[in-house]
Amino acid sequence: MNELTRRDFLQSAAAATAAGALVPSIAAASNGDPGLPSGPVVVSSANGLRATEKAATMIRSGADTLDAVVAGVNIVEEDPEDYSVGYGGLPNEDGVVELDSSVMHGPSCRAGAVAAMRNIKTASSVAKLVMQRTDHVLIVGQGALRFARAHGFEEVNLLTDKARKIWLHWKENLSDRDDWIGTEVPDDDAQANALAALPFTYGTINCCAVNPSGDLSGVTTTSGLSFKIPGRVGDSPIIGAGLYVDNKVGAAGSTGRGEAVIKICGAHTVVEGMRQGLSPTDACMAALRRIVETTTEKRLLRDDGRPKFDVKFYAVSKDGRHGGAAIWSKAQYAVYADGRNRLEPAEYLYERPEKDKDA
Ligand code: GLY
């Protein structure tokens, strides 16, 4: 058995069986070594089906797991139709898109990140270069932009017309005690309409992968909380919060309310749960319970005491098991495993009430 000890493996397998793990038999799925997956396993948030497909294809062709997951999320970062990431992401309160991203490479135990970076579509690629070409882990704001410029990244206005209209709708309807006159919902795009009706949104993409050698990497990238105060940094570029990879154990990442994830060192908590023998799904659930326990401010709680917001964790273990969990039901996560790319239902703490906009 490779880097997992036999005891660790037996513990995690027992926990997985008890929890009704999503991968029925690790031993049956493996290629002679019961501690390793037989092919790539890639997990992502529900907006990452193209990322998991791309990353798995690259890993099957021999690519490094970090190159693979970054190439996967680049597709979504460059997609103007995804309002939560990169080009087309929703802007800050001034109407300017600011991006956060982090990467971790398991085999070399290295990490890189950028935060509050403007004008560059693929924040994850810049984060990877911070890891590869500097002695730093996190570069923010103007410094991140200047670093990206130095590496030849093209500068563009990240605010698409659709995202601008959603922002303008938010701004014009903020208050009836200012000089902006409220408008109707911006256009006939269903997603734009839904977003315009929300007070805030925290969309993000996380993608983590393990290859048949048991090497892991992960990436998280986002335009962050919509209409945030300029300079606000969420969990995505914080190593241990929005992303954590330990090549001996597994990888995890998050989407949802970053402030809640930062306070419990979310992704690190998930990976530590797997280290203690929890299945990926159970480790995600344990971290979510900690978020609920630490959410005590009344303004963040519904009348029944449950959080008004949602957080989702995604995890993959070194032996190829995977899982995802959310505070509220009806969430899914993307996964490539056993040669198939699909969405799977995420485990959850609470049944989502009908017409619940806040959660
Ligand atoms: N999870 C993304 C954010 O809070 O910025």
Side-chain angles (χ1 to χ4, degrees), residues 84 100 201-205 220-226 228 232-237 242 254-262 310-311:
S84 67
D100 296 342
T201 170
Y202 295 95
T204 298
I205 182 168
T220 303
T221 182
T222 187
S223 49
L225 171 64
S226 56
K228 59 196 171 187
R232 176 264 188 189
V233 172
D235 56 329
S236 304
S254 61
T255 62
R257 180 178 159 80
E259 284 74 7
V261 176
I262 291 171
D310 205 359
V311 167

Side-chain angles (χ1 to χ4, degrees), residues 287-307:
L288 291 172
R289 277 189 211 99
R290 196 168 296 178
I291 285 179
V292 170
E293 283 162 22
T294 53
T295 301
T296 53
E297 289 169 81
K298 224 174 165 191
R299 67 187 174 86
L300 297 173
L301 297 171
R302 301 156 19 123
D303 289 344
D304 62 6
R306 294 173 175 178

Side-chain angles (χ1 to χ4, degrees), residues 243-315:
L243 179 70
Y244 198 68
V245 178
D246 184 322
N247 215 50
K248 290 183 176 167
V249 178
S254 61
T255 62
R257 180 178 159 80
E259 284 74 7
V261 176
I262 291 171
K263 285 198 302 179
I264 66 140
C265 302
H268 184 262
T269 297
V270 174
V271 171
E272 289 307 298
M274 291 193 285
R275 193 194 305 280
Q276 300 303 319
L278 294 179
S279 70
T281 306
D282 286 351
C284 293
M285 290 289 279
L288 291 172
R289 277 189 211 99
R290 196 168 296 178
I291 285 179
V292 170
E293 283 162 22
T294 53
T295 301
T296 53
E297 289 169 81
K298 224 174 165 191
R299 67 187 174 86
L300 297 173
L301 297 171
R302 301 156 19 123
D303 289 344
D304 62 6
R306 294 173 175 178
K308 281 183 176 173
F309 56 85
D310 205 359
V311 167
K312 303 179 184 89
F313 287 116
Y314 316 91

